[in-house]
Amino acid sequence: MRIFSRRTARTLAPSALVAVLAAAGVQAAAQSADAAPQRAAAITACTTAHMKVTVSPVTRPINHLLLKATNTGTKPCYAYGAPYLRAGADAQAAVFWDEDSVPQAVVTVKPGKSAYAGITTSTPDGNSGHKVRTLGVLFANRALNGSVGPEKTLKLSHNGVYFNSAATVTFWQSSIDKALY
């Protein structure tokens, strides 16, 4: 049974087409919105559970260390913000983040690849310095208001490394050059 005549159907066709396309667009947007959290959930924050973390001295710049985090897992992860560092076993505060080192985007660390952070251990402007033999490392969560995963404790030189109140750490970077700018 036909409700519309052929002439009415032609007149309504463009608006009906718009309505159908709009409905399809809303449905596609809803499906995309549902799928987006699944894609975002596929890449998680890096943690010490699936990252090999090492620290090494560098010749330039002076009073610096290089922190390297290599993804040993099978999936990429995000290295959010900067690492939380505890300089010495009895440290009461984390090493400050170098706000001048914020990258343009969160560093994605693919399996087998690394992220880097430069650590300034001391400057002449700092005070209250002491030598430390260990460095505790934690990865930041997405909100940058806490850490994720267990702490990794790294051993420093057997003589210790001098840290003072001016110590800072860069945000995670995709290259050594950016970490030691």
Side-chain angles (χ1 to χ4, degrees), residues 8-116:
T8 306
R10 283 187 192 148
T11 306
L12 293 176
S15 61
L17 181 60
V18 169
V20 169
L21 290 176
V26 169
Q27 185 178 16
Q31 289 172 350
S32 295
D34 291 340
Q38 291 173 348
R39 273 188 250 130
I43 299 181
T44 60
C46 296
T47 69
T48 56
H50 60 273
M51 299 292 282
K52 178 183 177 186
V53 183
T54 60
V55 63
S56 57
V58 294
T59 56
R60 294 204 183 264
I62 61 169
N63 299 333
H64 277 68
L65 299 171
L66 178 67
L67 192 64
K68 178 181 177 182
T70 304
N71 187 343
T72 59
T74 58
K75 296 179 181 176
C77 64
Y78 290 130
Y80 292 112
Y84 289 106
L85 300 181
R86 187 169 52 88
D90 59 346
Q92 295 185 13
V95 172
F96 290 107
W97 289 2
D98 179 354
E99 297 295 331
D100 292 335
S101 68
V102 178
Q104 290 184 352
V106 172
V107 176
T108 303
V109 188
K110 295 180 181 177
K113 300 298 181 186
S114 300
Y116 306 90

